[in-house]
PDB file of all heavy atoms in Angstrom:
ATOM      1  N   ALA F 265     -68.748  31.716  19.881  1.00  0.00           N
ATOM      2  CA  ALA F 265     -69.060  31.631  18.534  1.00  0.00           C
ATOM      3  C   ALA F 265     -69.151  32.984  17.903  1.00  0.00           C
ATOM      4  O   ALA F 265     -70.077  33.576  17.979  1.00  0.00           O
ATOM      5  CB  ALA F 265     -70.446  30.807  18.335  1.00  0.00           C
ATOM      6  N   VAL F 266     -67.924  33.334  17.356  1.00  0.00           N
ATOM      7  CA  VAL F 266     -67.832  34.703  16.968  1.00  0.00           C
ATOM      8  C   VAL F 266     -67.767  34.913  15.311  1.00  0.00           C
ATOM      9  O   VAL F 266     -67.963  36.083  14.924  1.00  0.00           O
ATOM     10  CB  VAL F 266     -66.626  35.350  17.513  1.00  0.00           C
ATOM     11  CG1 VAL F 266     -66.668  35.407  19.054  1.00  0.00           C
ATOM     12  CG2 VAL F 266     -65.283  34.706  16.993  1.00  0.00           C
ATOM     13  N   TYR F 267     -67.595  33.679  14.705  1.00  0.00           N
ATOM     14  CA  TYR F 267     -67.474  33.872  13.125  1.00  0.00           C
ATOM     15  C   TYR F 267     -68.847  34.013  12.482  1.00  0.00           C
ATOM     16  O   TYR F 267     -69.155  33.015  11.811  1.00  0.00           O
ATOM     17  CB  TYR F 267     -66.641  32.690  12.624  1.00  0.00           C
ATOM     18  CG  TYR F 267     -65.243  32.635  13.022  1.00  0.00           C
ATOM     19  CD1 TYR F 267     -64.653  31.519  13.174  1.00  0.00           C
ATOM     20  CD2 TYR F 267     -64.537  33.708  13.177  1.00  0.00           C
ATOM     21  CE1 TYR F 267     -63.341  31.296  13.669  1.00  0.00           C
ATOM     22  CE2 TYR F 267     -63.174  33.714  13.552  1.00  0.00           C
ATOM     23  CZ  TYR F 267     -62.607  32.503  13.770  1.00  0.00           C
ATOM     24  OH  TYR F 267     -61.238  32.391  14.179  1.00  0.00           O
ATOM     25  N   ARG F 268     -69.455  35.087  12.783  1.00  0.00           N
ATOM     26  CA  ARG F 268     -70.888  35.242  12.264  1.00  0.00           C
ATOM     27  C   ARG F 268     -71.110  36.630  11.987  1.00  0.00           C
ATOM     28  O   ARG F 268     -70.668  37.615  12.623  1.00  0.00           O
ATOM     29  CB  ARG F 268     -71.916  34.793  13.372  1.00  0.00           C
ATOM     30  CG  ARG F 268     -71.704  33.410  13.713  1.00  0.00           C
ATOM     31  CD  ARG F 268     -72.802  33.003  14.817  1.00  0.00           C
ATOM     32  NE  ARG F 268     -72.665  33.562  16.158  1.00  0.00           N
ATOM     33  CZ  ARG F 268     -73.450  33.310  17.152  1.00  0.00           C
ATOM     34  NH1 ARG F 268     -74.232  32.355  17.082  1.00  0.00           N
ATOM     35  NH2 ARG F 268     -73.295  34.005  18.284  1.00  0.00           N
ATOM     36  N   SER F 269     -71.898  36.789  10.814  1.00  0.00           N
ATOM     37  CA  SER F 269     -72.301  38.145  10.389  1.00  0.00           C
ATOM     38  C   SER F 269     -73.552  38.649  11.322  1.00  0.00           C
ATOM     39  O   SER F 269     -74.021  37.787  12.079  1.00  0.00           O
ATOM     40  CB  SER F 269     -72.692  38.080   8.912  1.00  0.00           C
ATOM     41  OG  SER F 269     -73.847  37.320   8.781  1.00  0.00           O
ATOM     42  N   GLY F 270     -74.029  39.749  11.135  1.00  0.00           N
ATOM     43  CA  GLY F 270     -75.170  40.300  11.913  1.00  0.00           C
ATOM     44  C   GLY F 270     -76.243  39.408  11.531  1.00  0.00           C
ATOM     45  O   GLY F 270     -77.062  39.126  12.478  1.00  0.00           O
ATOM     46  N   GLU F 271     -76.563  39.021  10.343  1.00  0.00           N
ATOM     47  CA  GLU F 271     -77.660  38.241   9.884  1.00  0.00           C
ATOM     48  C   GLU F 271     -77.601  36.780  10.496  1.00  0.00           C
ATOM     49  O   GLU F 271     -78.552  36.395  10.984  1.00  0.00           O
ATOM     50  CB  GLU F 271     -77.729  38.021   8.339  1.00  0.00           C
ATOM     51  CG  GLU F 271     -78.575  39.133   7.613  1.00  0.00           C
ATOM     52  CD  GLU F 271     -78.633  38.729   6.191  1.00  0.00           C
ATOM     53  OE1 GLU F 271     -77.835  38.016   5.637  1.00  0.00           O
ATOM     54  OE2 GLU F 271     -79.568  39.261   5.593  1.00  0.00           O
ATOM     55  N   GLU F 272     -76.386  36.316  10.604  1.00  0.00           N
ATOM     56  CA  GLU F 272     -76.240  35.025  11.175  1.00  0.00           C
ATOM     57  C   GLU F 272     -76.312  35.004  12.633  1.00  0.00           C
ATOM     58  O   GLU F 272     -76.841  34.034  13.168  1.00  0.00           O
ATOM     59  CB  GLU F 272     -74.797  34.440  10.805  1.00  0.00           C
ATOM     60  CG  GLU F 272     -74.579  34.212   9.287  1.00  0.00           C
ATOM     61  CD  GLU F 272     -73.106  34.021   8.821  1.00  0.00           C
ATOM     62  OE1 GLU F 272     -72.299  34.473   9.601  1.00  0.00           O
ATOM     63  OE2 GLU F 272     -72.921  33.371   7.801  1.00  0.00           O
ATOM     64  N   ARG F 273     -75.993  36.039  13.245  1.00  0.00           N
ATOM     65  CA  ARG F 273     -76.270  36.124  14.717  1.00  0.00           C
ATOM     66  C   ARG F 273     -77.740  36.230  14.879  1.00  0.00           C
ATOM     67  O   ARG F 273     -78.291  35.620  15.981  1.00  0.00           O
ATOM     68  CB  ARG F 273     -75.569  37.463  15.385  1.00  0.00           C
ATOM     69  CG  ARG F 273     -74.042  37.300  15.540  1.00  0.00           C
ATOM     70  CD  ARG F 273     -73.608  38.677  15.881  1.00  0.00           C
ATOM     71  NE  ARG F 273     -72.046  38.501  16.238  1.00  0.00           N
ATOM     72  CZ  ARG F 273     -71.742  38.161  17.506  1.00  0.00           C
ATOM     73  NH1 ARG F 273     -72.368  38.023  18.532  1.00  0.00           N
ATOM     74  NH2 ARG F 273     -70.412  38.031  17.721  1.00  0.00           N
ATOM     75  N   ALA F 274     -78.394  37.011  14.189  1.00  0.00           N
ATOM     76  CA  ALA F 274     -79.876  37.074  14.334  1.00  0.00           C
ATOM     77  C   ALA F 274     -80.541  35.662  14.093  1.00  0.00           C
ATOM     78  O   ALA F 274     -81.518  35.347  14.811  1.00  0.00           O
ATOM     79  CB  ALA F 274     -80.410  38.098  13.343  1.00  0.00           C
ATOM     80  N   LEU F 275     -80.119  34.918  13.200  1.00  0.00           N
ATOM     81  CA  LEU F 275     -80.555  33.560  12.852  1.00  0.00           C
ATOM     82  C   LEU F 275     -80.457  32.717  14.038  1.00  0.00           C
ATOM     83  O   LEU F 275     -81.350  32.101  14.627  1.00  0.00           O
ATOM     84  CB  LEU F 275     -79.768  33.034  11.617  1.00  0.00           C
ATOM     85  CG  LEU F 275     -80.113  31.589  11.244  1.00  0.00           C
ATOM     86  CD1 LEU F 275     -81.566  31.305  10.945  1.00  0.00           C
ATOM     87  CD2 LEU F 275     -79.167  31.105  10.236  1.00  0.00           C
ATOM     88  N   CYS F 276     -79.278  32.724  14.535  1.00  0.00           N
ATOM     89  CA  CYS F 276     -78.908  31.851  15.759  1.00  0.00           C
ATOM     90  C   CYS F 276     -79.780  32.250  16.901  1.00  0.00           C
ATOM     91  O   CYS F 276     -80.404  31.354  17.689  1.00  0.00           O
ATOM     92  CB  CYS F 276     -77.491  31.873  16.099  1.00  0.00           C
ATOM     93  SG  CYS F 276     -76.418  31.099  14.952  1.00  0.00           S
ATOM     94  N   ALA F 277     -79.965  33.578  17.114  1.00  0.00           N
ATOM     95  CA  ALA F 277     -80.646  34.070  18.424  1.00  0.00           C
ATOM     96  C   ALA F 277     -82.139  33.598  18.183  1.00  0.00           C
ATOM     97  O   ALA F 277     -82.788  33.291  19.218  1.00  0.00           O
ATOM     98  CB  ALA F 277     -80.483  35.643  18.442  1.00  0.00           C
ATOM     99  N   ALA F 278     -82.632  33.816  16.969  1.00  0.00           N
ATOM    100  CA  ALA F 278     -84.092  33.311  16.754  1.00  0.00           C
ATOM    101  C   ALA F 278     -84.396  31.962  16.985  1.00  0.00           C
ATOM    102  O   ALA F 278     -85.377  31.615  17.566  1.00  0.00           O
ATOM    103  CB  ALA F 278     -84.514  33.872  15.357  1.00  0.00           C
ATOM    104  N   MET F 279     -83.431  31.138  16.499  1.00  0.00           N
ATOM    105  CA  MET F 279     -83.534  29.709  16.777  1.00  0.00           C
ATOM    106  C   MET F 279     -83.500  29.306  18.210  1.00  0.00           C
ATOM    107  O   MET F 279     -84.169  28.557  18.775  1.00  0.00           O
ATOM    108  CB  MET F 279     -82.445  28.884  15.952  1.00  0.00           C
ATOM    109  CG  MET F 279     -82.763  28.995  14.426  1.00  0.00           C
ATOM    110  SD  MET F 279     -81.419  28.289  13.451  1.00  0.00           S
ATOM    111  CE  MET F 279     -81.479  26.586  13.837  1.00  0.00           C
ATOM    112  N   GLU F 280     -82.551  29.924  18.943  1.00  0.00           N
ATOM    113  CA  GLU F 280     -82.452  29.596  20.366  1.00  0.00           C
ATOM    114  C   GLU F 280     -83.580  30.069  21.125  1.00  0.00           C
ATOM    115  O   GLU F 280     -83.933  29.440  22.218  1.00  0.00           O
ATOM    116  CB  GLU F 280     -81.109  30.260  20.873  1.00  0.00           C
ATOM    117  CG  GLU F 280     -79.724  29.746  20.292  1.00  0.00           C
ATOM    118  CD  GLU F 280     -78.625  30.642  20.555  1.00  0.00           C
ATOM    119  OE1 GLU F 280     -78.761  31.729  20.947  1.00  0.00           O
ATOM    120  OE2 GLU F 280     -77.553  30.146  20.016  1.00  0.00           O
ATOM    121  N   ALA F 281     -84.207  31.199  20.713  1.00  0.00           N
ATOM    122  CA  ALA F 281     -85.268  31.835  21.547  1.00  0.00           C
ATOM    123  C   ALA F 281     -86.548  30.909  21.697  1.00  0.00           C
ATOM    124  O   ALA F 281     -87.302  30.982  22.570  1.00  0.00           O
ATOM    125  CB  ALA F 281     -85.715  33.174  20.959  1.00  0.00           C
ATOM    126  N   VAL F 282     -86.725  29.984  20.760  1.00  0.00           N
ATOM    127  CA  VAL F 282     -87.890  29.148  20.713  1.00  0.00           C
ATOM    128  C   VAL F 282     -87.608  27.705  20.896  1.00  0.00           C
ATOM    129  O   VAL F 282     -88.474  26.826  20.638  1.00  0.00           O
ATOM    130  CB  VAL F 282     -88.668  29.279  19.328  1.00  0.00           C
ATOM    131  CG1 VAL F 282     -89.220  30.696  19.173  1.00  0.00           C
ATOM    132  CG2 VAL F 282     -87.742  28.729  18.208  1.00  0.00           C
TER     133      VAL F 282
END
Side-chain angles (χ1 to χ4, degrees):
V266 301
Y267 294 144
R268 302 185 290 188
S269 66
E271 274 188 336
E272 290 165 342
R273 283 176 174 271
L275 171 66
C276 293
M279 292 172 69
E280 292 163 358
V282 297

